[in-house]
Amino acid sequence: MKKNILVVGSGLYGSIFAHEAAKLGHKVTVIEKRDHVGGNIYTKEVEGIQFHQYGAHIFHTSNKAVWDYVNQFAEFNRYTNSPIANYNGEIYNLPFNMNTFSKLWGVTTPEEARIKIEDQRKSFGIGEPKNLEEQAISLVGSDIYEKLIKSYTEKQWGRKCTELPAFIIKRLPVRFTYDNNYFNDRYQGIPIGGYTRIIEKMLESPNIEVKLDTDFFANQAELESNADKVIYTGMIDQYFDYKYGELEYRSLKFETEVLDEENYQGNAVVNYTDEKTEFTRIIEHKHFEFGNQEKTIITREYPSDWKKGDEPYYPVNDEKNNKVFEKYLKLAKSQNKVIFGGRLGMYKYYDMHKVIEEALIAFGNLELS
Ligand code: FAD
Ligand code: UDP
């Protein structure tokens, strides 16, 4: 029995669901409130350069099945993310590794670096880390915390490091080798031709109809009644009309310039880790694909508070919000027609590989017969 499936949101999660359902012959309608598909991984060509409109996206995973899956839709280049940090004009390598330690302290061996970190950790008397500040000092010591973490993090999240969960900083590797690769994953790269092409390929099927500029909440009752299943990838609290209160998100403002020069900053990502610079990072898009165009495009990223109507780029997964989310999740699980997924539907700080993994698992668990 073929079903009518409604997918709300054409980001990675919704598009995978649509693709898999269409392959089985189901009839899929994808609605998207923006004027383009792709969600936050959307890229478009500007001046011959793939421009990451909603922030830099680097694909990385250790999951072979996820890597094979995404490679059906694109060929990936050999880009390895190695951001640098600019702290008041001092340049450091990220993530925290022997290059960082050596520049900061003049140490040359892993043993010397470990001793330095251990001394700083001890002088703060930190046991089991209770928040991001304690976690950071216990991983890399107080010098790195002060220069490379504290202000960047407080700009990014709009709150003190002592009020943030430790897990956020554990996303970054700490290494005692001279290795500037930002990720530990086995596979990494940028899709040649951009991310939007991946989504377009996923949605290329006679069984899929895509409707842009269409907000689910403008017509919820009718859209739901016409569907056998709904895959919802928008904000979970909005779906339930904020019944248990609003979840908090963090938003971003992007300031982009096309420059009449070939190479602005010599790296794809430069983080500004001082307190005074209002933006957190500058992305130079061409370096994700080793471009040699005459012009370049840069984007400054300014974190901002989120209010209704802004783009909810990051969930704020602290204890308070997670508790509210748990209530929504319970409600979500009781809806048998609607599946909630993706970064906003699950209110989780998911990277792309995790979204693919979750979408494929959820699709596999779905009974569509
Ligand atoms: P989204 O991409 O948010 O898609 C949801 C879609 O639903 C959107 O298109 C939205 O417009 C639509 N929608 C929402 N509500 C409605 C509604 N009511 N009606 C109709 N449509 C609706 N991940 C990595 O792996 N590597 C990176 O380097 C990386 N960098 C990132 C940088 C930034 C600045 C951000 C914000 C994220 C980054 N990510 C990165 C994470 C990545 O963007 C996500 O994992 C992925 O895009 C999530 O896909 P999704 O489908 O869950 O959500
Ligand atoms: N971070 C930091 N200094 C940096 C880069 C990252 O302190 O130069 C911290 C910051 O708290 C950030 C977290 O590490 O929120 C995760 O960084 P990541 O680059 O994974 O963030 P994203 O790309 O998702 O914004």
Side-chain angles (χ1 to χ4, degrees), residues 182-245:
Y182 202 60
F183 302 112
N184 281 328
D185 287 319
R186 186 161 166 198
Y187 309 104
Q188 181 173 176
I190 302 278
I192 296 166
Y195 286 94
T196 305
R197 190 70 202 111
I198 294 181
I199 298 292
E200 285 169 351
K201 279 194 183 168
M202 286 176 175
L203 297 176
E204 228 165 55
S205 160
N207 294 335
I208 300 178
E209 184 187 6
V210 179
K211 294 181 180 168
L212 299 176
D213 299 305
T214 306
D215 191 329
F216 176 64
F217 295 107
N219 203 5
Q220 178 175 359
E222 192 188 333
L223 285 165
E224 281 194 336
S225 69
N226 290 339
D228 298 307
K229 279 279 175 205
V230 178
I231 316 307
Y232 176 82
T233 71
M235 292 155 55
I236 189 167
D237 53 344
Q238 186 179 14
Y239 183 90
F240 294 111
D241 203 17
Y242 308 101
K243 185 184 166 102
Y244 299 128

Side-chain angles (χ1 to χ4, degrees), residues 9 12-13 32-33 39-40 56-58 215-216 342-343 350 352:
L12 193 53
Y13 191 98
E32 169 56 59
K33 68 178 178 185
N40 290 339
H57 278 75
I58 301 108
D215 191 329
F216 176 64
R343 191 141 150 158
Y350 281 158
M352 291 180 275

